[in-house]
Amino acid sequence: MPFAVQDADGYALEASAHLLDHGFRELRLHRISVTVMAGNDASTRLCERLGFVHEGTTREAQFADGEFADVQRYGLLEDEWAGPTAVLEWPVRTHQSHPYPVGLITVSTQAPPL
């Protein structure tokens, strides 16, 4: 499920925190993974702030803007999720004069068998 991140006001953080909480608590997912284009600092910060663990880099895995680019792989397990309150209580960053760049994140999930 790809989506763009442009977060000048913290909306991506809040929405992502509640989406993760829904996935782990309501859908009983065991793992949620995220793929971020290398160099997308805003998306990388978002993943790290949410508690995702960097699991590796896949070299030249995405074709974008006429060239191949590396992607960063992140994962978060159910027992690592601290909940939205813990994530959202972090100190709020100051507003910058320019918005964060837009970047592509791909999210995949794994649920236990029924």
Side-chain angles (χ1 to χ4, degrees):
M1 166 177 61
F3 64 94
V5 173
Q6 185 168 6
D7 185 16
D9 297 313
Y11 297 125
L13 176 65
E14 186 173 356
S16 298
H18 290 292
L19 185 62
L20 288 171
D21 198 57
H22 178 75
F24 287 128
R25 297 192 196 286
E26 301 298 324
L27 301 178
R28 299 185 49 232
L29 299 176
H30 175 68
R31 171 186 170 80
I32 298 176
S33 57
V34 177
T35 303
V36 178
M37 295 282 290
N40 185 338
D41 297 334
S43 295
T44 298
R45 284 191 303 272
L46 177 64
C47 289
E48 291 170 353
R49 174 99 182 252
L50 290 166
F52 280 87
V53 175
H54 182 257
E55 296 179 332
T57 302
T58 305
R59 298 177 303 140
E60 298 185 4
Q62 183 76 34
F63 191 77
D65 297 325
E67 62 186 25
F68 286 97
D70 296 349
V71 294
Q72 307 291 328
R73 308 279 182 185
Y74 290 86
L76 183 64
L77 302 177
E78 178 183 15
D79 62 354
E80 296 170 338
W81 174 237
T85 304
V87 171
L88 298 173
E89 284 181 350
W90 277 33
V92 177
R93 64 174 167 70
T94 59
H95 180 73
Q96 298 178 358
S97 61
H98 61 280
Y100 285 130
V102 174
L104 185 69
I105 294 180
T106 304
V107 178
S108 62
T109 60
Q110 291 181 330
L114 297 176

